[in-house]
Amino acid sequence: MDSALVLRGLVKQFDGLTAVGGVDLDVPVGSFYGLLGPNGAGKTTTLSMAVGLLRPDAGAVAVLGHDVWSDPVAAKRLLGALPDSVRMFDRLSGSELLAYVGLLRGMDPSVVDARAAELLDVLGLSDAGRTLVVDYSAGMKKKIGLACALLHAPRLLVLDEPFEAVDPVSAALIRDILHRYVAGGGTVILSSHVMEVVERLCTHVAILAGGQIRAVGSLDEVRQGRRLEDVFVSVVGGRVATGAELSWL
Amino acid sequence: MAVEQQAKAIHFVRLKLRLTRNGLRGQAWRIVLFIFGIFAGLWAALGGFALFTGAGVAGGDAGLVIVTFAGAGLTLAWLLLPLLFFGVDETIDPARFALLPVPRRTLLRGMLAAAFVSVPALATVVALLGLVLGAAVRDGAAAAVVAGVGAVLGILTCVVGSRALTSAFASMLRSRRVRDLAAILIAVLASSVAPLQLAVSSLIAHSDLDRAGQIARVLAWTPLAAPYAAYVDVAEGRLLSALVRLAIAAAAVAALVAWWWSTLESATIGTASGARSSSSASDKKAVAALFPAALRVLRPGRFSGLVAREWRYWWRDPRRRASLVSLMIAGVVLPMVMRASVRVDQSRMPLPVAVAFSALLAALVLSNQFGTDGSAYALHLLVGVPGRVELRARACALALLMAPILVLVTVAVAVLTQAQSQVLAALGVVAAGLGIAAGTSALLSVLVPYAFPESTNPFAVSGGTGGLRGLLAVVGSFAALVLLAPLLVFALITHGLVAGLVVLAAGVGWGGVGLLLGTYLAGGILDRRGPEILAAVTPRR
């Protein structure tokens, strides 16, 4: 078993429109996988199906050998996720939210207390005290979401746009945490449309556009000596504006 | 170059129609509901039309009484029902216009025009045409003109009043400092319904036209009924008092518009939710912090964690807080009113019946429990919380909140209305009612979940779901009432201490079975349909 996450023929349609049209993906254990794509490419839809939030019309998902849809309990124990499009129970304070997640996961209360305090400390959220998560800034919300995903020490992390709205200092911190997590044997798959992030962090890359994988492989295989951004633009379809338009600006 | 075009009220109307249409697209059940709503509106419109026409044609004292009571009832219904039950349609959210260069005057006109494009508003228009017709048939053209002006002022009072009241309320509940005040205000509103109902029902019971006439004459000088009564003055030749009544109505409309204007202003500025207490970092442990003091006796675990979070949410989530507070008030007021006013065969309404509705109402608040959480439910799906554990924990949290209140109310009402002998049976009915209604709600909540808009207005519903909310409440309470009926009948036909104890034991058992069975069935559905329920309660953006 060398894949942490396996997607096979995932299909999802909304009202007759195909959002994801047959995605296959193998995320090796210990890899740092970047899922790239323009807005509306189907990244969030794919990852939602991968973590069990959205039922695929067709296809299968396995987390470390456990099928997410037929054996959800085992799969979800190994999985930590940071969804982008959903709310959290945001009328709890940061530590209350972490305690809640820990208890839901069936963790020992004393372990929950210790890990929650450490996570809040490392992520710089201790100062927020009893502020409710709903009043957090966007970056702080990302960080508490990440803390919720990390709390039970999962073997696979699925992160949807983890760096969006995060300030550079926090981003560096999150990168550091994720690096150490991967070095310790964990696996990360994250989605992004920011090339720099993916180029700096990831060992593997898949480019998704129009609900299909357009390019996939290790970072060097996909780049083939070019800049990732150039590869991305040429794979996705490229820019057609020449600058001659909008002359009235 | 005419690149810019002034925004006009018609644009808002078109926006509302378009949003309504898009909301219905591809969702069969919404279309069915929408059509159901149209039929209900049509029925109400024709009923109101007949009532107002009949009153006009009848004329005299009876006519005046009917017109003023119907008018006041209509206005009160517009003002209070959105607060208590239906919510207000927030298809067009004024906050969305904050960044657009729309003058506030245009915004106000547009929002008002859009507010008229709704089934209740159109139904009211049709009903009020009856006022004009009745006046024209009996009293001629002049009266008809006054009736028409009155009808316009009346419906403006209704529509603007309900908008202003709900948005003012929403901003009150948003700020923590005044939330206690808001709770008191709801209490006042809710309890103001009770004496009114008392008065009307006793008037009907005694068919006392003279006293009704006195009350009608007072009501006709308040903004509640003044616009509807004005034409009666014309018919009787008192032109001046007709004008004064219209002026009262117009002043009320102006005041309401000004009030709405100011709340709109704060909505478009997007008042940040009041600064929350971010006092010194709590040095409490995380798990201990999650549990409210009253629940610290529970051993921390998955079930108790869920219960603790539900408790926190009943108070911290404005939408839940609003329904909890109105529920508590209704739970107190309803049994009092039923004991005090409704009479069956010259004896008072039996205590078990009087408290049964409070118990049913209390648990039916769970009938869209996933909708109130919205997409936050994703966390439970990610973790894989078993459906039965989840539903039982939610029911348990509510029962821990409501049961003490219901017991207190039952005992208090019994003592106040000299029904001590019925206390045991009534408590049994309360236990059964809570359990059965919680079980029924669990099933409803997994079978027909629906989304609330992501709005800070706790009374907001998205286009078309206001009707659903009402319909579900009716279906749920009817089903629960049918299940409760055997016990209720038994409690009514038996008397004495032993029988009371039997009813109490049977009620606890019956309620327990209802709760366990309901959550057992619903939990299985929840385990199978989790992602579909998440999709249903996620607000569409």
Side-chain angles (χ1 to χ4, degrees), chain B residues 199-219:
Chain B
V200 172
S201 64
S202 83
L203 282 178
I204 292 169
H206 303 133
S207 58
D208 191 348
L209 198 60
D210 280 349
R211 265 181 61 202
Q214 286 166 13
I215 295 173
R217 268 183 278 281
V218 175
L219 270 180

PDB file of all heavy atoms in Angstrom, chain B residues 199-219:
ATOM      1  N   ALA B 199     -60.192  39.052  24.909  1.00  0.00           N
ATOM      2  CA  ALA B 199     -61.279  40.010  24.719  1.00  0.00           C
ATOM      3  C   ALA B 199     -62.166  39.571  23.562  1.00  0.00           C
ATOM      4  O   ALA B 199     -63.391  39.511  23.683  1.00  0.00           O
ATOM      5  CB  ALA B 199     -60.686  41.391  24.453  1.00  0.00           C
ATOM      6  N   VAL B 200     -61.537  39.242  22.438  1.00  0.00           N
ATOM      7  CA  VAL B 200     -62.309  38.901  21.251  1.00  0.00           C
ATOM      8  C   VAL B 200     -63.149  37.659  21.514  1.00  0.00           C
ATOM      9  O   VAL B 200     -64.338  37.616  21.202  1.00  0.00           O
ATOM     10  CB  VAL B 200     -61.372  38.684  20.046  1.00  0.00           C
ATOM     11  CG1 VAL B 200     -62.158  38.140  18.861  1.00  0.00           C
ATOM     12  CG2 VAL B 200     -60.705  39.988  19.669  1.00  0.00           C
ATOM     13  N   SER B 201     -62.522  36.650  22.139  1.00  0.00           N
ATOM     14  CA  SER B 201     -63.261  35.400  22.310  1.00  0.00           C
ATOM     15  C   SER B 201     -64.408  35.587  23.298  1.00  0.00           C
ATOM     16  O   SER B 201     -65.474  35.011  23.125  1.00  0.00           O
ATOM     17  CB  SER B 201     -62.328  34.268  22.750  1.00  0.00           C
ATOM     18  OG  SER B 201     -61.800  34.569  24.000  1.00  0.00           O
ATOM     19  N   SER B 202     -64.211  36.426  24.315  1.00  0.00           N
ATOM     20  CA  SER B 202     -65.305  36.610  25.259  1.00  0.00           C
ATOM     21  C   SER B 202     -66.421  37.429  24.598  1.00  0.00           C
ATOM     22  O   SER B 202     -67.603  37.201  24.860  1.00  0.00           O
ATOM     23  CB  SER B 202     -64.819  37.295  26.536  1.00  0.00           C
ATOM     24  OG  SER B 202     -64.781  38.683  26.366  1.00  0.00           O
ATOM     25  N   LEU B 203     -66.031  38.346  23.723  1.00  0.00           N
ATOM     26  CA  LEU B 203     -67.044  39.123  23.005  1.00  0.00           C
ATOM     27  C   LEU B 203     -67.881  38.206  22.130  1.00  0.00           C
ATOM     28  O   LEU B 203     -69.106  38.302  22.079  1.00  0.00           O
ATOM     29  CB  LEU B 203     -66.373  40.191  22.136  1.00  0.00           C
ATOM     30  CG  LEU B 203     -65.899  41.427  22.875  1.00  0.00           C
ATOM     31  CD1 LEU B 203     -65.221  42.370  21.914  1.00  0.00           C
ATOM     32  CD2 LEU B 203     -67.078  42.101  23.536  1.00  0.00           C
ATOM     33  N   ILE B 204     -67.161  37.300  21.424  1.00  0.00           N
ATOM     34  CA  ILE B 204     -67.876  36.381  20.549  1.00  0.00           C
ATOM     35  C   ILE B 204     -68.791  35.486  21.380  1.00  0.00           C
ATOM     36  O   ILE B 204     -69.946  35.246  21.031  1.00  0.00           O
ATOM     37  CB  ILE B 204     -66.876  35.529  19.736  1.00  0.00           C
ATOM     38  CG1 ILE B 204     -66.151  36.437  18.753  1.00  0.00           C
ATOM     39  CG2 ILE B 204     -67.606  34.419  18.984  1.00  0.00           C
ATOM     40  CD1 ILE B 204     -64.979  35.790  18.087  1.00  0.00           C
ATOM     41  N   ALA B 205     -68.237  35.041  22.533  1.00  0.00           N
ATOM     42  CA  ALA B 205     -69.002  34.131  23.377  1.00  0.00           C
ATOM     43  C   ALA B 205     -70.295  34.786  23.844  1.00  0.00           C
ATOM     44  O   ALA B 205     -71.341  34.144  23.883  1.00  0.00           O
ATOM     45  CB  ALA B 205     -68.153  33.697  24.570  1.00  0.00           C
ATOM     46  N   HIS B 206     -70.250  36.077  24.170  1.00  0.00           N
ATOM     47  CA  HIS B 206     -71.439  36.734  24.687  1.00  0.00           C
ATOM     48  C   HIS B 206     -72.206  37.476  23.603  1.00  0.00           C
ATOM     49  O   HIS B 206     -73.186  38.133  23.908  1.00  0.00           O
ATOM     50  CB  HIS B 206     -71.038  37.697  25.815  1.00  0.00           C
ATOM     51  CG  HIS B 206     -70.292  37.029  26.929  1.00  0.00           C
ATOM     52  ND1 HIS B 206     -69.136  37.537  27.476  1.00  0.00           N
ATOM     53  CD2 HIS B 206     -70.513  35.862  27.556  1.00  0.00           C
ATOM     54  CE1 HIS B 206     -68.680  36.716  28.408  1.00  0.00           C
ATOM     55  NE2 HIS B 206     -69.520  35.675  28.464  1.00  0.00           N
ATOM     56  N   SER B 207     -71.707  37.376  22.385  1.00  0.00           N
ATOM     57  CA  SER B 207     -72.293  38.112  21.247  1.00  0.00           C
ATOM     58  C   SER B 207     -72.737  39.503  21.690  1.00  0.00           C
ATOM     59  O   SER B 207     -73.880  39.897  21.545  1.00  0.00           O
ATOM     60  CB  SER B 207     -73.441  37.321  20.626  1.00  0.00           C
ATOM     61  OG  SER B 207     -74.423  37.045  21.568  1.00  0.00           O
ATOM     62  N   ASP B 208     -71.795  40.209  22.242  1.00  0.00           N
ATOM     63  CA  ASP B 208     -72.070  41.494  22.867  1.00  0.00           C
ATOM     64  C   ASP B 208     -71.699  42.607  21.890  1.00  0.00           C
ATOM     65  O   ASP B 208     -70.576  43.092  21.881  1.00  0.00           O
ATOM     66  CB  ASP B 208     -71.235  41.598  24.153  1.00  0.00           C
ATOM     67  CG  ASP B 208     -71.672  42.778  24.993  1.00  0.00           C
ATOM     68  OD1 ASP B 208     -72.433  43.604  24.463  1.00  0.00           O
ATOM     69  OD2 ASP B 208     -71.257  42.848  26.148  1.00  0.00           O
ATOM     70  N   LEU B 209     -72.655  43.002  21.046  1.00  0.00           N
ATOM     71  CA  LEU B 209     -72.326  43.946  19.979  1.00  0.00           C
ATOM     72  C   LEU B 209     -72.032  45.335  20.537  1.00  0.00           C
ATOM     73  O   LEU B 209     -71.197  46.054  20.014  1.00  0.00           O
ATOM     74  CB  LEU B 209     -73.490  44.015  18.972  1.00  0.00           C
ATOM     75  CG  LEU B 209     -73.129  44.616  17.621  1.00  0.00           C
ATOM     76  CD1 LEU B 209     -72.042  43.819  16.949  1.00  0.00           C
ATOM     77  CD2 LEU B 209     -74.359  44.717  16.735  1.00  0.00           C
ATOM     78  N   ASP B 210     -72.693  45.678  21.640  1.00  0.00           N
ATOM     79  CA  ASP B 210     -72.476  47.016  22.196  1.00  0.00           C
ATOM     80  C   ASP B 210     -71.030  47.194  22.646  1.00  0.00           C
ATOM     81  O   ASP B 210     -70.387  48.188  22.306  1.00  0.00           O
ATOM     82  CB  ASP B 210     -73.410  47.234  23.402  1.00  0.00           C
ATOM     83  CG  ASP B 210     -74.806  47.604  22.933  1.00  0.00           C
ATOM     84  OD1 ASP B 210     -74.928  47.877  21.712  1.00  0.00           O
ATOM     85  OD2 ASP B 210     -75.736  47.599  23.751  1.00  0.00           O
ATOM     86  N   ARG B 211     -70.552  46.186  23.409  1.00  0.00           N
ATOM     87  CA  ARG B 211     -69.177  46.332  23.903  1.00  0.00           C
ATOM     88  C   ARG B 211     -68.189  46.245  22.762  1.00  0.00           C
ATOM     89  O   ARG B 211     -67.188  46.948  22.732  1.00  0.00           O
ATOM     90  CB  ARG B 211     -68.889  45.257  24.952  1.00  0.00           C
ATOM     91  CG  ARG B 211     -69.138  45.776  26.363  1.00  0.00           C
ATOM     92  CD  ARG B 211     -68.837  44.728  27.393  1.00  0.00           C
ATOM     93  NE  ARG B 211     -67.442  44.301  27.359  1.00  0.00           N
ATOM     94  CZ  ARG B 211     -67.036  43.122  27.849  1.00  0.00           C
ATOM     95  NH1 ARG B 211     -67.905  42.266  28.336  1.00  0.00           N
ATOM     96  NH2 ARG B 211     -65.757  42.806  27.811  1.00  0.00           N
ATOM     97  N   ALA B 212     -68.489  45.350  21.804  1.00  0.00           N
ATOM     98  CA  ALA B 212     -67.629  45.266  20.627  1.00  0.00           C
ATOM     99  C   ALA B 212     -67.593  46.606  19.915  1.00  0.00           C
ATOM    100  O   ALA B 212     -66.545  47.060  19.453  1.00  0.00           O
ATOM    101  CB  ALA B 212     -68.138  44.172  19.690  1.00  0.00           C
ATOM    102  N   GLY B 213     -68.768  47.251  19.864  1.00  0.00           N
ATOM    103  CA  GLY B 213     -68.835  48.551  19.208  1.00  0.00           C
ATOM    104  C   GLY B 213     -67.961  49.570  19.919  1.00  0.00           C
ATOM    105  O   GLY B 213     -67.247  50.351  19.280  1.00  0.00           O
ATOM    106  N   GLN B 214     -67.985  49.534  21.266  1.00  0.00           N
ATOM    107  CA  GLN B 214     -67.132  50.479  22.013  1.00  0.00           C
ATOM    108  C   GLN B 214     -65.662  50.259  21.686  1.00  0.00           C
ATOM    109  O   GLN B 214     -64.917  51.200  21.407  1.00  0.00           O
ATOM    110  CB  GLN B 214     -67.347  50.286  23.518  1.00  0.00           C
ATOM    111  CG  GLN B 214     -68.679  50.855  24.018  1.00  0.00           C
ATOM    112  CD  GLN B 214     -69.013  50.353  25.410  1.00  0.00           C
ATOM    113  OE1 GLN B 214     -68.153  49.790  26.084  1.00  0.00           O
ATOM    114  NE2 GLN B 214     -70.243  50.561  25.842  1.00  0.00           N
ATOM    115  N   ILE B 215     -65.275  48.976  21.746  1.00  0.00           N
ATOM    116  CA  ILE B 215     -63.861  48.683  21.467  1.00  0.00           C
ATOM    117  C   ILE B 215     -63.512  49.095  20.038  1.00  0.00           C
ATOM    118  O   ILE B 215     -62.462  49.685  19.772  1.00  0.00           O
ATOM    119  CB  ILE B 215     -63.579  47.181  21.686  1.00  0.00           C
ATOM    120  CG1 ILE B 215     -63.772  46.839  23.163  1.00  0.00           C
ATOM    121  CG2 ILE B 215     -62.176  46.830  21.232  1.00  0.00           C
ATOM    122  CD1 ILE B 215     -63.676  45.365  23.448  1.00  0.00           C
ATOM    123  N   ALA B 216     -64.434  48.801  19.112  1.00  0.00           N
ATOM    124  CA  ALA B 216     -64.186  49.144  17.711  1.00  0.00           C
ATOM    125  C   ALA B 216     -63.992  50.649  17.565  1.00  0.00           C
ATOM    126  O   ALA B 216     -63.124  51.095  16.822  1.00  0.00           O
ATOM    127  CB  ALA B 216     -65.346  48.666  16.844  1.00  0.00           C
ATOM    128  N   ARG B 217     -64.798  51.427  18.280  1.00  0.00           N
ATOM    129  CA  ARG B 217     -64.661  52.885  18.148  1.00  0.00           C
ATOM    130  C   ARG B 217     -63.314  53.374  18.684  1.00  0.00           C
ATOM    131  O   ARG B 217     -62.750  54.317  18.156  1.00  0.00           O
ATOM    132  CB  ARG B 217     -65.827  53.578  18.848  1.00  0.00           C
ATOM    133  CG  ARG B 217     -66.989  53.845  17.879  1.00  0.00           C
ATOM    134  CD  ARG B 217     -68.125  54.607  18.545  1.00  0.00           C
ATOM    135  NE  ARG B 217     -68.990  53.717  19.311  1.00  0.00           N
ATOM    136  CZ  ARG B 217     -69.928  52.946  18.757  1.00  0.00           C
ATOM    137  NH1 ARG B 217     -70.133  52.967  17.446  1.00  0.00           N
ATOM    138  NH2 ARG B 217     -70.668  52.165  19.499  1.00  0.00           N
ATOM    139  N   VAL B 218     -62.809  52.701  19.720  1.00  0.00           N
ATOM    140  CA  VAL B 218     -61.464  53.072  20.199  1.00  0.00           C
ATOM    141  C   VAL B 218     -60.406  52.649  19.186  1.00  0.00           C
ATOM    142  O   VAL B 218     -59.530  53.424  18.798  1.00  0.00           O
ATOM    143  CB  VAL B 218     -61.177  52.422  21.570  1.00  0.00           C
ATOM    144  CG1 VAL B 218     -59.738  52.699  21.995  1.00  0.00           C
ATOM    145  CG2 VAL B 218     -62.159  52.952  22.609  1.00  0.00           C
ATOM    146  N   LEU B 219     -60.524  51.403  18.747  1.00  0.00           N
ATOM    147  CA  LEU B 219     -59.548  50.881  17.779  1.00  0.00           C
ATOM    148  C   LEU B 219     -59.497  51.751  16.533  1.00  0.00           C
ATOM    149  O   LEU B 219     -58.433  51.960  15.947  1.00  0.00           O
ATOM    150  CB  LEU B 219     -59.923  49.453  17.373  1.00  0.00           C
ATOM    151  CG  LEU B 219     -59.366  48.297  18.192  1.00  0.00           C
ATOM    152  CD1 LEU B 219     -59.852  46.988  17.627  1.00  0.00           C
ATOM    153  CD2 LEU B 219     -57.836  48.350  18.190  1.00  0.00           C
TER     154      LEU B 219
END
